[in-house]
Amino acid sequence: EVQLQASGGGLVKAGGSLRLSCAVSGITIDDVAIGWTRQAPGKEREGIACISTYEGRKYYADYEKGRFTISRDNIKNTVFLQMTSLKPEDTAVYYCAVDDLSCPPAGVGWDSWGQGTLVTVSS
């Protein structure tokens, strides 16, 4: 059974930073594409970032503009999302997710995802 346990969310002021973590079990992250999605209240889920299985290439959404960085610790089987210069519009539930083949182009289409962690950015 694949489990993805996201943590690190919370309340932060605009311009602040957070580092999200996702502990993965039931699958080795080296064998899958792994990334982050988010869903704001009343909005559809959208993609944030992803690490492809192909040479560990990283992909980011355009709105991030260099503010977010995805990384992974293969020994700990954990993926991270470092977020800086946070904005109120970044407020959402953040989910880590995996796909068996490749990084999905949007926030949907992932094979598995976790429970998520809430990030709230105040102005």
Side-chain angles (χ1 to χ4, degrees), residues 49-113:
C50 183
I51 303 177
S52 173
T53 57
Y54 181 69
E55 297 184 354
R57 302 295 187 184
K58 299 178 181 179
Y59 303 90
Y60 296 94
D62 290 340
Y63 63 79
E64 296 177 6
K65 301 296 184 182
R67 298 184 298 123
F68 295 0
T69 302
I70 188 171
S71 62
R72 64 187 179 190
D73 185 330
N74 292 334
I75 301 300
K76 296 181 178 180
N77 215 43
T78 301
V79 64
F80 306 94
L81 184 68
Q82 179 68 48
M83 305 185 294
T84 61
S85 301
L86 285 164
K87 306 174 182 179
E89 51 263 45
D90 293 319
T91 296
V93 178
Y94 285 68
Y95 303 87
C96 58
V98 300
D99 192 271
D100 291 339
L101 297 177
S102 61
C103 293
V108 297
W110 297 84
D111 290 331
S112 302
W113 60 90

Side-chain angles (χ1 to χ4, degrees), residues 9-13 18 86-88 90-92 94 118-122:
L11 177 63
V12 64
K13 299 288 186 180
L18 282 175
L86 285 164
K87 306 174 182 179
D90 293 319
T91 296
Y94 285 68
L118 176 63
V119 172
T120 303
V121 184
S122 62

Side-chain angles (χ1 to χ4, degrees), residues 36-38 44-48 95 97 104-110 113:
W36 292 88
T37 67
R38 70 185 186 184
E44 296 183 352
R45 185 176 297 191
E46 60 182 352
I48 303 172
Y95 303 87
V108 297
W110 297 84
W113 60 90

